Amino acid sequence: MSKIIQYYNQFDEWGRLDRAPLEFIVNWHFIRNYLPARGHILDNGAGPGKYAMELADSGYDVTLTDLTPRLVQLAAEKAEELGLTDRFKGFHVADARSLSSFADETFDASLMMGPLYHLQKEEDREQAVKELYRVTRSGGYVFIAFMTRIRHLLTALAYPQSWKPLDSMDEIQQFMDSGVFNHSDEGRFTGAYYYDIDTITPFMEAQGFETVKLIGSSSVAGALTTEQFDYWRSQGNKQFSDYMQMIYDSAENIHLLGSASHLLYIGIRK
């Protein structure tokens, strides 16, 4: 866990979502459509709180957790900057595998938009999901992010020197078999786990969740550049609204899931 903390101590996670806004825009569209009208929401593994701030600004009570103390502090500062501090019930340094500060069924809905990337052992991933299940009320929705093995394969094949040791076919095959990736270059992305898409729903249902849907966070527009995105924005409100609706509709297309670097699982705690 120390390498994860070290990485996020220097990485601009808030800026990542600003630089690649489609992931956030698509995820937030689906999250807000399934949230209760009001309630107390957990943003677990929230980083600097991009989703948490949107939740707070939408009138929800929010509790934020993250493994990295610096990111928790940044989130608290961002809430103060945005005038949202009163909507937060707490900012906690916590490991997603152990949410012992919270009682059973504390939250009306829960987000976990990052922790499962970094847990390379199956028992750790199961424990994180079990903890999310425990602290979410019966009937509450959960929103969980996954990274896909097939998309990382495409990235490695296109840019092998940037994703060592995936610069040889033997290493790539080992990655495809295991889903486990550890960057050879010090200071690059942390050790991570990438999912076969077909395993996500069974994994979540085995932990007690009822699946609602699995969507591709970049949808059909994932390969578009900022300039191409801005073209449609410049065409007026009607054209851009229709463009975004097509992106939302396409996010649910199962044939596009493999092209997305991030997937959003939406489920219900039974």
Side-chain angles (χ1 to χ4, degrees), residues 21-235:
L22 191 61
E23 176 189 331
F24 177 81
I25 292 169
V26 172
N27 282 345
W28 178 244
H29 169 80
F30 284 93
I31 290 169
R32 69 183 179 186
N33 283 345
Y34 286 96
L35 286 171
R38 61 185 62 84
H40 185 188
I41 314 299
L42 172 66
D43 192 354
N44 181 34
K50 186 82 170 181
Y51 291 96
M53 301 306 147
E54 201 71 35
L55 288 163
D57 192 49
S58 299
Y60 294 98
D61 294 326
V62 183
T63 291
L64 179 147
T65 71
D66 197 82
L67 181 67
T68 304
R70 171 181 171 270
L71 295 184
V72 175
Q73 180 60 35
L74 286 175
E77 292 171 358
K78 181 63 72 171
E80 184 173 0
E81 174 190 328
L82 296 174
L84 297 171
T85 302
D86 289 349
R87 296 245 58 106
F88 281 85
K89 298 296 187 182
F91 299 86
H92 301 268
V93 176
D95 188 318
R97 296 169 298 178
S98 178
L99 301 176
S100 56
S101 296
F102 310 120
D104 295 357
E105 300 197 44
T106 296
F107 302 103
D108 297 299
S110 299
L111 282 65
M112 188 160 67
M113 305 298 289
L116 292 188
Y117 308 162
H118 303 294
L119 298 173
Q120 294 180 308
K121 295 180 180 179
E122 184 174 2
E123 58 265 33
D124 288 337
R125 297 191 294 274
E126 289 179 353
Q127 182 59 29
V129 174
K130 286 176 180 176
E131 276 292 83
L132 199 73
Y133 180 94
R134 182 183 65 79
V135 301
T136 305
R137 70 166 176 81
S138 179
Y141 281 83
V142 296
F143 308 91
I144 303 176
F146 294 81
M147 293 197 303
T148 66
R149 199 172 302 183
I150 190 67
R151 174 54 188 269
H152 196 56
L153 167 65
L154 298 176
T155 302
L157 292 173
Y159 306 103
Q161 292 298 303
S162 297
W163 292 97
K164 297 178 181 179
L166 302 186
D167 56 345
S168 78
M169 290 309 301
D170 285 346
E171 290 284 354
I172 287 175
Q173 187 57 59
Q174 289 180 38
F175 164 73
M176 290 302 292
D177 291 340
S178 70
V180 173
F181 174 72
N182 291 294
H183 213 300
S184 295
D185 295 334
E186 193 67 29
R188 293 295 304 278
F189 190 53
T190 70
Y193 181 78
Y194 295 79
Y195 285 77
D196 272 332
I197 294 169
D198 290 343
T199 68
I200 293 172
T201 294
F203 169 69
M204 292 301 301
E205 291 180 351
Q207 312 311 319
F209 291 97
E210 177 184 337
T211 298
V212 176
K213 62 182 59 180
L214 185 66
I215 64 107
S217 300
S218 54
S219 185
V220 72
L224 298 187
T225 65
T226 301
E227 291 75 17
Q228 291 164 335
F229 186 83
D230 287 345
Y231 167 81
W232 291 105
R233 193 191 296 273
S234 72
Q235 297 306 296

Side-chain angles (χ1 to χ4, degrees), residues 252-263:
E252 301 184 53
N253 187 326
I254 62 170
H255 303 293
L256 291 174
L257 296 182
S259 66
S261 59
H262 296 77
L263 302 181

